[in-house]
mmCIF file of all heavy atoms in Angstrom:
data_model
loop_
_atom_site.group_PDB
_atom_site.id
_atom_site.type_symbol
_atom_site.label_atom_id
_atom_site.label_comp_id
_atom_site.label_asym_id
_atom_site.label_seq_id
_atom_site.Cartn_x
_atom_site.Cartn_y
_atom_site.Cartn_z
ATOM 1 N N LEU A 274 4.210 27.528 33.030
ATOM 2 C CA LEU A 274 5.319 26.523 33.017
ATOM 3 C C LEU A 274 5.372 25.790 34.265
ATOM 4 O O LEU A 274 5.624 24.505 34.288
ATOM 5 C CB LEU A 274 6.612 27.249 32.730
ATOM 6 C CG LEU A 274 6.832 27.770 31.314
ATOM 7 C CD1 LEU A 274 8.111 28.680 31.250
ATOM 8 C CD2 LEU A 274 6.901 26.676 30.310
ATOM 9 N N ALA A 275 5.128 26.413 35.377
ATOM 10 C CA ALA A 275 5.140 25.760 36.709
ATOM 11 C C ALA A 275 4.014 24.638 36.750
ATOM 12 O O ALA A 275 4.265 23.582 37.271
ATOM 13 C CB ALA A 275 4.968 26.702 37.868
ATOM 14 N N GLU A 276 2.863 25.024 36.284
ATOM 15 C CA GLU A 276 1.732 24.057 36.264
ATOM 16 C C GLU A 276 2.062 22.884 35.336
ATOM 17 O O GLU A 276 1.781 21.769 35.706
ATOM 18 C CB GLU A 276 0.480 24.856 35.793
ATOM 19 C CG GLU A 276 -0.769 23.984 35.819
ATOM 20 C CD GLU A 276 -1.135 23.467 37.180
ATOM 21 O OE1 GLU A 276 -0.878 24.182 38.147
ATOM 22 O OE2 GLU A 276 -1.748 22.328 37.296
ATOM 23 N N LEU A 277 2.588 23.176 34.155
ATOM 24 C CA LEU A 277 2.991 22.158 33.235
ATOM 25 C C LEU A 277 3.996 21.206 33.839
ATOM 26 O O LEU A 277 3.948 19.949 33.705
ATOM 27 C CB LEU A 277 3.443 22.740 31.963
ATOM 28 C CG LEU A 277 3.612 21.855 30.785
ATOM 29 C CD1 LEU A 277 2.224 21.169 30.443
ATOM 30 C CD2 LEU A 277 4.085 22.704 29.538
ATOM 31 N N LEU A 278 5.002 21.775 34.576
ATOM 32 C CA LEU A 278 5.985 20.988 35.212
ATOM 33 C C LEU A 278 5.465 20.077 36.284
ATOM 34 O O LEU A 278 5.785 18.929 36.358
ATOM 35 C CB LEU A 278 7.050 21.952 35.853
ATOM 36 C CG LEU A 278 8.254 21.288 36.513
ATOM 37 C CD1 LEU A 278 9.113 20.535 35.533
ATOM 38 C CD2 LEU A 278 9.049 22.322 37.261
ATOM 39 N N LYS A 279 4.481 20.594 37.021
ATOM 40 C CA LYS A 279 3.881 19.772 38.015
ATOM 41 C C LYS A 279 3.113 18.603 37.441
ATOM 42 O O LYS A 279 3.193 17.467 37.916
ATOM 43 C CB LYS A 279 2.883 20.654 38.879
ATOM 44 C CG LYS A 279 2.241 19.949 39.941
ATOM 45 C CD LYS A 279 1.348 20.863 40.702
ATOM 46 C CE LYS A 279 0.619 20.164 41.847
ATOM 47 N NZ LYS A 279 -0.372 21.039 42.507
ATOM 48 N N GLU A 280 2.368 18.865 36.327
ATOM 49 C CA GLU A 280 1.658 17.780 35.619
ATOM 50 C C GLU A 280 2.574 16.735 35.083
ATOM 51 O O GLU A 280 2.310 15.505 35.289
ATOM 52 C CB GLU A 280 0.834 18.416 34.475
ATOM 53 C CG GLU A 280 -0.279 19.252 34.922
ATOM 54 C CD GLU A 280 -0.924 19.883 33.735
ATOM 55 O OE1 GLU A 280 -0.692 19.628 32.579
ATOM 56 O OE2 GLU A 280 -1.827 20.773 34.002
ATOM 57 N N LYS A 281 3.732 17.137 34.543
ATOM 58 C CA LYS A 281 4.676 16.168 33.972
ATOM 59 C C LYS A 281 5.356 15.328 35.076
ATOM 60 O O LYS A 281 5.583 14.187 34.849
ATOM 61 C CB LYS A 281 5.706 16.877 33.147
ATOM 62 C CG LYS A 281 5.167 17.545 31.907
ATOM 63 C CD LYS A 281 4.764 16.404 30.856
ATOM 64 C CE LYS A 281 4.327 17.043 29.569
ATOM 65 N NZ LYS A 281 3.984 16.019 28.609
ATOM 66 N N LYS A 282 5.577 15.924 36.207
ATOM 67 C CA LYS A 282 6.193 15.188 37.285
ATOM 68 C C LYS A 282 5.261 14.182 37.861
ATOM 69 O O LYS A 282 5.595 13.057 38.180
ATOM 70 C CB LYS A 282 6.674 16.115 38.364
ATOM 71 C CG LYS A 282 7.963 16.883 38.056
ATOM 72 C CD LYS A 282 8.498 17.616 39.203
ATOM 73 C CE LYS A 282 9.850 18.250 38.800
ATOM 74 N NZ LYS A 282 10.480 19.009 40.011
ATOM 75 N N VAL A 283 3.970 14.474 38.025
ATOM 76 C CA VAL A 283 2.926 13.541 38.428
ATOM 77 C C VAL A 283 2.824 12.366 37.314
ATOM 78 O O VAL A 283 2.792 11.272 37.703
ATOM 79 C CB VAL A 283 1.582 14.183 38.648
ATOM 80 C CG1 VAL A 283 0.496 13.272 38.800
ATOM 81 C CG2 VAL A 283 1.640 15.126 39.843
ATOM 82 N N LEU A 284 2.880 12.770 36.101
ATOM 83 C CA LEU A 284 2.794 11.751 35.061
ATOM 84 C C LEU A 284 4.022 10.842 35.138
ATOM 85 O O LEU A 284 3.832 9.589 34.988
ATOM 86 C CB LEU A 284 2.720 12.415 33.666
ATOM 87 C CG LEU A 284 2.699 11.517 32.466
ATOM 88 C CD1 LEU A 284 1.468 10.595 32.498
ATOM 89 C CD2 LEU A 284 2.707 12.275 31.179
ATOM 90 N N LEU A 285 5.175 11.386 35.343
ATOM 91 C CA LEU A 285 6.384 10.567 35.486
ATOM 92 C C LEU A 285 6.274 9.580 36.644
ATOM 93 O O LEU A 285 6.614 8.404 36.520
ATOM 94 C CB LEU A 285 7.671 11.404 35.664
ATOM 95 C CG LEU A 285 8.961 10.761 35.742
ATOM 96 C CD1 LEU A 285 9.277 9.934 34.456
ATOM 97 C CD2 LEU A 285 10.003 11.766 36.064
ATOM 98 N N PHE A 286 5.689 10.052 37.770
ATOM 99 C CA PHE A 286 5.505 9.204 38.951
ATOM 100 C C PHE A 286 4.611 8.044 38.584
ATOM 101 O O PHE A 286 4.911 6.901 38.907
ATOM 102 C CB PHE A 286 4.974 10.005 40.093
ATOM 103 C CG PHE A 286 4.682 9.222 41.316
ATOM 104 C CD1 PHE A 286 5.773 8.800 42.151
ATOM 105 C CD2 PHE A 286 3.431 8.843 41.704
ATOM 106 C CE1 PHE A 286 5.488 8.089 43.276
ATOM 107 C CE2 PHE A 286 3.093 8.106 42.776
ATOM 108 C CZ PHE A 286 4.187 7.686 43.567
ATOM 109 N N THR A 287 3.485 8.314 37.926
ATOM 110 C CA THR A 287 2.512 7.317 37.616
ATOM 111 C C THR A 287 3.119 6.297 36.611
ATOM 112 O O THR A 287 2.835 5.104 36.723
ATOM 113 C CB THR A 287 1.180 7.863 37.077
ATOM 114 O OG1 THR A 287 1.509 8.616 35.903
ATOM 115 C CG2 THR A 287 0.493 8.700 38.126
ATOM 116 N N LEU A 288 3.897 6.774 35.656
ATOM 117 C CA LEU A 288 4.548 5.865 34.652
ATOM 118 C C LEU A 288 5.500 4.961 35.412
ATOM 119 O O LEU A 288 5.649 3.767 35.033
ATOM 120 C CB LEU A 288 5.176 6.702 33.605
ATOM 121 C CG LEU A 288 4.352 7.359 32.544
ATOM 122 C CD1 LEU A 288 5.110 8.188 31.641
ATOM 123 C CD2 LEU A 288 3.515 6.352 31.754
ATOM 124 N N ARG A 289 6.310 5.471 36.329
ATOM 125 C CA ARG A 289 7.231 4.616 37.028
ATOM 126 C C ARG A 289 6.484 3.581 37.931
ATOM 127 O O ARG A 289 7.018 2.453 38.009
ATOM 128 C CB ARG A 289 8.116 5.523 37.960
ATOM 129 C CG ARG A 289 9.182 6.251 37.163
ATOM 130 C CD ARG A 289 10.071 7.007 38.040
ATOM 131 N NE ARG A 289 11.173 7.558 37.264
ATOM 132 C CZ ARG A 289 11.895 8.626 37.651
ATOM 133 N NH1 ARG A 289 11.631 9.160 38.886
ATOM 134 N NH2 ARG A 289 12.824 9.113 36.931
ATOM 135 N N GLN A 290 5.387 3.930 38.394
ATOM 136 C CA GLN A 290 4.566 2.988 39.222
ATOM 137 C C GLN A 290 4.052 1.851 38.308
ATOM 138 O O GLN A 290 4.025 0.700 38.688
ATOM 139 C CB GLN A 290 3.449 3.640 39.996
ATOM 140 C CG GLN A 290 3.849 4.635 41.120
ATOM 141 C CD GLN A 290 4.699 3.888 42.074
ATOM 142 O OE1 GLN A 290 4.443 2.813 42.552
ATOM 143 N NE2 GLN A 290 5.804 4.479 42.533
ATOM 144 N N LYS A 291 3.594 2.255 37.118
ATOM 145 C CA LYS A 291 3.054 1.280 36.199
ATOM 146 C C LYS A 291 4.245 0.399 35.647
ATOM 147 O O LYS A 291 3.990 -0.821 35.500
ATOM 148 C CB LYS A 291 2.439 1.960 34.967
ATOM 149 C CG LYS A 291 1.108 2.500 35.213
ATOM 150 C CD LYS A 291 0.521 3.181 33.977
ATOM 151 C CE LYS A 291 -0.861 3.763 34.211
ATOM 152 N NZ LYS A 291 -1.425 4.302 33.053
ATOM 153 N N LEU A 292 5.393 0.910 35.519
ATOM 154 C CA LEU A 292 6.579 0.122 35.221
ATOM 155 C C LEU A 292 6.861 -0.949 36.239
ATOM 156 O O LEU A 292 7.183 -2.112 35.850
ATOM 157 C CB LEU A 292 7.792 0.963 34.938
ATOM 158 C CG LEU A 292 9.085 0.348 34.381
ATOM 159 C CD1 LEU A 292 8.812 -0.283 33.037
ATOM 160 C CD2 LEU A 292 10.249 1.246 34.445
ATOM 161 N N LYS A 293 6.834 -0.608 37.504
ATOM 162 C CA LYS A 293 7.104 -1.557 38.523
ATOM 163 C C LYS A 293 6.079 -2.606 38.620
ATOM 164 O O LYS A 293 6.385 -3.727 39.047
ATOM 165 C CB LYS A 293 7.202 -0.783 39.921
ATOM 166 C CG LYS A 293 8.331 0.153 39.929
ATOM 167 C CD LYS A 293 9.212 0.007 41.043
ATOM 168 C CE LYS A 293 10.168 1.078 41.117
ATOM 169 N NZ LYS A 293 11.566 0.587 40.963
ATOM 170 N N THR A 294 4.834 -2.297 38.316
ATOM 171 C CA THR A 294 3.712 -3.272 38.395
ATOM 172 C C THR A 294 3.502 -4.031 37.062
ATOM 173 O O THR A 294 2.551 -4.737 36.929
ATOM 174 C CB THR A 294 2.375 -2.673 38.881
ATOM 175 O OG1 THR A 294 2.128 -1.648 38.030
ATOM 176 C CG2 THR A 294 2.654 -2.047 40.281
ATOM 177 N N MET A 295 4.402 -3.779 36.122
ATOM 178 C CA MET A 295 4.346 -4.439 34.831
ATOM 179 C C MET A 295 3.067 -4.074 34.048
ATOM 180 O O MET A 295 2.580 -4.877 33.255
ATOM 181 C CB MET A 295 4.420 -5.923 34.956
ATOM 182 C CG MET A 295 5.665 -6.410 35.644
ATOM 183 S SD MET A 295 7.247 -6.108 34.757
ATOM 184 C CE MET A 295 7.101 -7.204 33.441
ATOM 185 N N GLN A 296 2.499 -2.874 34.189
ATOM 186 C CA GLN A 296 1.390 -2.404 33.451
ATOM 187 C C GLN A 296 1.748 -1.460 32.394
ATOM 188 O O GLN A 296 0.878 -1.084 31.457
ATOM 189 C CB GLN A 296 0.430 -1.702 34.349
ATOM 190 C CG GLN A 296 -0.131 -2.634 35.426
ATOM 191 C CD GLN A 296 -0.963 -1.824 36.493
ATOM 192 O OE1 GLN A 296 -1.122 -0.601 36.331
ATOM 193 N NE2 GLN A 296 -1.738 -2.482 37.273
ATOM 194 N N LEU A 297 3.029 -1.141 32.167
ATOM 195 C CA LEU A 297 3.457 -0.140 31.191
ATOM 196 C C LEU A 297 3.808 -0.935 29.988
ATOM 197 O O LEU A 297 4.705 -1.787 29.966
ATOM 198 C CB LEU A 297 4.625 0.640 31.735
ATOM 199 C CG LEU A 297 5.094 1.799 30.887
ATOM 200 C CD1 LEU A 297 3.924 2.894 30.839
ATOM 201 C CD2 LEU A 297 6.327 2.434 31.505
ATOM 202 N N THR A 298 3.144 -0.582 28.904
ATOM 203 C CA THR A 298 3.433 -1.313 27.626
ATOM 204 C C THR A 298 4.632 -0.692 26.807
ATOM 205 O O THR A 298 5.276 -1.435 26.115
ATOM 206 C CB THR A 298 2.195 -1.286 26.674
ATOM 207 O OG1 THR A 298 1.784 0.048 26.442
ATOM 208 C CG2 THR A 298 1.037 -2.089 27.375
ATOM 209 N N ASN A 299 4.834 0.612 26.980
ATOM 210 C CA ASN A 299 5.838 1.295 26.174
ATOM 211 C C ASN A 299 6.769 2.012 27.257
ATOM 212 O O ASN A 299 6.485 3.173 27.589
ATOM 213 C CB ASN A 299 5.280 2.222 25.171
ATOM 214 C CG ASN A 299 6.279 2.846 24.338
ATOM 215 O OD1 ASN A 299 7.478 2.525 24.328
ATOM 216 N ND2 ASN A 299 5.924 3.802 23.463
ATOM 217 N N PRO A 300 7.963 1.481 27.557
ATOM 218 C CA PRO A 300 8.852 2.116 28.519
ATOM 219 C C PRO A 300 9.434 3.347 27.981
ATOM 220 O O PRO A 300 10.012 4.133 28.746
ATOM 221 C CB PRO A 300 9.841 1.021 28.875
ATOM 222 C CG PRO A 300 9.551 -0.119 27.924
ATOM 223 C CD PRO A 300 8.289 0.089 27.248
ATOM 224 N N ASN A 301 9.340 3.587 26.692
ATOM 225 C CA ASN A 301 9.996 4.772 26.081
ATOM 226 C C ASN A 301 9.235 6.050 26.553
ATOM 227 O O ASN A 301 9.705 7.117 26.355
ATOM 228 C CB ASN A 301 10.046 4.631 24.631
ATOM 229 C CG ASN A 301 11.037 3.767 24.172
ATOM 230 O OD1 ASN A 301 12.168 3.548 24.801
ATOM 231 N ND2 ASN A 301 10.831 3.065 23.030
ATOM 232 N N GLU A 302 8.053 5.887 27.009
ATOM 233 C CA GLU A 302 7.197 7.028 27.472
ATOM 234 C C GLU A 302 7.966 7.701 28.579
ATOM 235 O O GLU A 302 7.832 8.947 28.794
ATOM 236 C CB GLU A 302 5.837 6.581 27.967
ATOM 237 C CG GLU A 302 4.927 6.147 26.888
ATOM 238 C CD GLU A 302 3.622 5.593 27.395
ATOM 239 O OE1 GLU A 302 3.067 6.346 28.300
ATOM 240 O OE2 GLU A 302 3.089 4.528 26.950
ATOM 241 N N ILE A 303 8.603 7.024 29.505
ATOM 242 C CA ILE A 303 9.369 7.541 30.630
ATOM 243 C C ILE A 303 10.418 8.512 30.131
ATOM 244 O O ILE A 303 10.591 9.615 30.630
ATOM 245 C CB ILE A 303 9.922 6.492 31.522
ATOM 246 C CG1 ILE A 303 8.769 5.714 32.192
ATOM 247 C CG2 ILE A 303 10.823 6.984 32.581
ATOM 248 C CD1 ILE A 303 9.212 4.491 33.042
ATOM 249 N N LYS A 304 11.136 8.040 29.090
ATOM 250 C CA LYS A 304 12.172 8.855 28.564
ATOM 251 C C LYS A 304 11.654 10.162 27.919
ATOM 252 O O LYS A 304 12.262 11.283 28.172
ATOM 253 C CB LYS A 304 12.883 8.040 27.457
ATOM 254 C CG LYS A 304 14.072 8.851 26.861
ATOM 255 C CD LYS A 304 14.929 7.924 25.938
ATOM 256 C CE LYS A 304 14.196 7.640 24.593
ATOM 257 N NZ LYS A 304 15.017 6.940 23.614
ATOM 258 N N GLU A 305 10.535 10.085 27.252
ATOM 259 C CA GLU A 305 9.891 11.279 26.681
ATOM 260 C C GLU A 305 9.499 12.260 27.750
ATOM 261 O O GLU A 305 9.649 13.502 27.603
ATOM 262 C CB GLU A 305 8.740 10.884 25.804
ATOM 263 C CG GLU A 305 9.173 10.162 24.549
ATOM 264 C CD GLU A 305 10.100 11.032 23.636
ATOM 265 O OE1 GLU A 305 9.787 12.198 23.524
ATOM 266 O OE2 GLU A 305 11.019 10.417 23.012
ATOM 267 N N VAL A 306 8.883 11.823 28.789
ATOM 268 C CA VAL A 306 8.430 12.683 29.925
ATOM 269 C C VAL A 306 9.628 13.323 30.632
ATOM 270 O O VAL A 306 9.542 14.511 30.903
ATOM 271 C CB VAL A 306 7.504 11.924 30.868
ATOM 272 C CG1 VAL A 306 7.199 12.724 32.128
ATOM 273 C CG2 VAL A 306 6.234 11.477 30.175
ATOM 274 N N ARG A 307 10.666 12.615 30.826
ATOM 275 C CA ARG A 307 11.876 13.129 31.453
ATOM 276 C C ARG A 307 12.509 14.195 30.613
ATOM 277 O O ARG A 307 12.891 15.273 31.093
ATOM 278 C CB ARG A 307 12.921 12.058 31.651
ATOM 279 C CG ARG A 307 12.581 11.144 32.787
ATOM 280 C CD ARG A 307 13.548 10.087 33.051
ATOM 281 N NE ARG A 307 14.907 10.617 33.400
ATOM 282 C CZ ARG A 307 15.973 10.220 32.861
ATOM 283 N NH1 ARG A 307 16.010 9.276 32.029
ATOM 284 N NH2 ARG A 307 17.175 10.785 33.179
ATOM 285 N N ARG A 308 12.460 14.079 29.285
ATOM 286 C CA ARG A 308 12.963 15.041 28.351
ATOM 287 C C ARG A 308 12.051 16.305 28.417
ATOM 288 O O ARG A 308 12.487 17.415 28.280
ATOM 289 C CB ARG A 308 13.129 14.590 26.980
ATOM 290 C CG ARG A 308 14.281 13.552 26.882
ATOM 291 C CD ARG A 308 14.471 13.143 25.455
ATOM 292 N NE ARG A 308 15.624 12.228 25.406
ATOM 293 C CZ ARG A 308 16.099 11.544 24.369
ATOM 294 N NH1 ARG A 308 15.406 11.764 23.202
ATOM 295 N NH2 ARG A 308 17.125 10.824 24.392
ATOM 296 N N ASP A 309 10.708 16.119 28.439
ATOM 297 C CA ASP A 309 9.820 17.223 28.560
ATOM 298 C C ASP A 309 10.052 18.024 29.788
ATOM 299 O O ASP A 309 9.999 19.270 29.769
ATOM 300 C CB ASP A 309 8.394 16.735 28.444
ATOM 301 C CG ASP A 309 7.895 16.259 27.116
ATOM 302 O OD1 ASP A 309 8.589 16.647 26.110
ATOM 303 O OD2 ASP A 309 6.872 15.612 27.044
ATOM 304 N N ILE A 310 10.358 17.389 30.871
ATOM 305 C CA ILE A 310 10.590 18.025 32.172
ATOM 306 C C ILE A 310 11.912 18.855 32.015
ATOM 307 O O ILE A 310 11.936 20.030 32.465
ATOM 308 C CB ILE A 310 10.679 16.969 33.268
ATOM 309 C CG1 ILE A 310 9.307 16.402 33.626
ATOM 310 C CG2 ILE A 310 11.339 17.683 34.506
ATOM 311 C CD1 ILE A 310 9.337 15.276 34.593
ATOM 312 N N ALA A 311 12.836 18.288 31.417
ATOM 313 C CA ALA A 311 14.114 19.037 31.143
ATOM 314 C C ALA A 311 13.917 20.285 30.296
ATOM 315 O O ALA A 311 14.396 21.396 30.495
ATOM 316 C CB ALA A 311 15.227 18.103 30.549
ATOM 317 N N ARG A 312 13.074 20.149 29.280
ATOM 318 C CA ARG A 312 12.769 21.320 28.418
ATOM 319 C C ARG A 312 12.018 22.384 29.222
ATOM 320 O O ARG A 312 12.304 23.606 29.039
ATOM 321 C CB ARG A 312 11.904 20.868 27.271
ATOM 322 C CG ARG A 312 12.660 20.118 26.207
ATOM 323 C CD ARG A 312 11.847 19.765 25.006
ATOM 324 N NE ARG A 312 12.498 18.896 24.073
ATOM 325 C CZ ARG A 312 12.260 17.565 23.937
ATOM 326 N NH1 ARG A 312 11.249 17.055 24.618
ATOM 327 N NH2 ARG A 312 12.911 16.874 23.145
ATOM 328 N N ILE A 313 11.119 21.965 30.047
ATOM 329 C CA ILE A 313 10.383 22.977 30.903
ATOM 330 C C ILE A 313 11.277 23.672 31.794
ATOM 331 O O ILE A 313 11.213 24.908 31.955
ATOM 332 C CB ILE A 313 9.159 22.224 31.591
ATOM 333 C CG1 ILE A 313 8.082 21.751 30.648
ATOM 334 C CG2 ILE A 313 8.522 23.219 32.565
ATOM 335 C CD1 ILE A 313 7.142 20.739 31.173
ATOM 336 N N ASN A 314 12.185 22.923 32.494
ATOM 337 C CA ASN A 314 13.159 23.570 33.340
ATOM 338 C C ASN A 314 14.022 24.447 32.632
ATOM 339 O O ASN A 314 14.472 25.575 33.140
ATOM 340 C CB ASN A 314 13.974 22.442 33.993
ATOM 341 C CG ASN A 314 13.168 21.802 35.200
ATOM 342 O OD1 ASN A 314 12.326 22.420 35.833
ATOM 343 N ND2 ASN A 314 13.507 20.498 35.396
ATOM 344 N N THR A 315 14.439 24.185 31.394
ATOM 345 C CA THR A 315 15.223 25.092 30.562
ATOM 346 C C THR A 315 14.514 26.335 30.277
ATOM 347 O O THR A 315 15.075 27.496 30.322
ATOM 348 C CB THR A 315 15.648 24.384 29.197
ATOM 349 O OG1 THR A 315 16.393 23.153 29.585
ATOM 350 C CG2 THR A 315 16.552 25.274 28.392
ATOM 351 N N ALA A 316 13.248 26.211 29.950
ATOM 352 C CA ALA A 316 12.391 27.430 29.673
ATOM 353 C C ALA A 316 12.304 28.268 30.847
ATOM 354 O O ALA A 316 12.327 29.570 30.826
ATOM 355 C CB ALA A 316 10.998 26.969 29.101
ATOM 356 N N ILE A 317 12.118 27.701 32.048
ATOM 357 C CA ILE A 317 11.956 28.466 33.244
ATOM 358 C C ILE A 317 13.248 29.221 33.612
ATOM 359 O O ILE A 317 13.242 30.357 33.944
ATOM 360 C CB ILE A 317 11.568 27.501 34.492
ATOM 361 C CG1 ILE A 317 10.141 26.994 34.222
ATOM 362 C CG2 ILE A 317 11.675 28.290 35.778
ATOM 363 C CD1 ILE A 317 9.641 25.961 35.214
#
């Protein structure tokens, strides 16, 4: 779970960077990753 949480946080960081540089085509991906992080934290 800790490894998965780390991967999701890195993914969230890269998605936010892509959003700022207008490279992100689907901004809903950020919402899904944030929810995944919350689920992982709940499991922990």
Side-chain angles (χ1 to χ4, degrees):
L274 289 173
E276 182 65 30
L277 193 58
L278 181 64
K279 183 179 176 183
E280 290 173 8
K281 291 292 182 177
K282 284 187 176 184
V283 169
L284 178 62
L285 181 62
F286 178 77
T287 58
L288 287 175
R289 284 183 175 160
Q290 293 301 317
K291 285 184 180 181
L292 182 67
K293 297 234 185 243
T294 59
M295 302 296 287
Q296 295 175 353
L297 189 63
T298 58
N299 187 6
N301 289 329
E302 291 178 46
I303 293 175
K304 180 172 75 171
E305 290 298 320
V306 172
R307 286 180 61 226
R308 288 183 178 179
D309 286 343
I310 290 172
R312 286 185 188 108
I313 295 168
N314 283 330
T315 301
I317 290 171

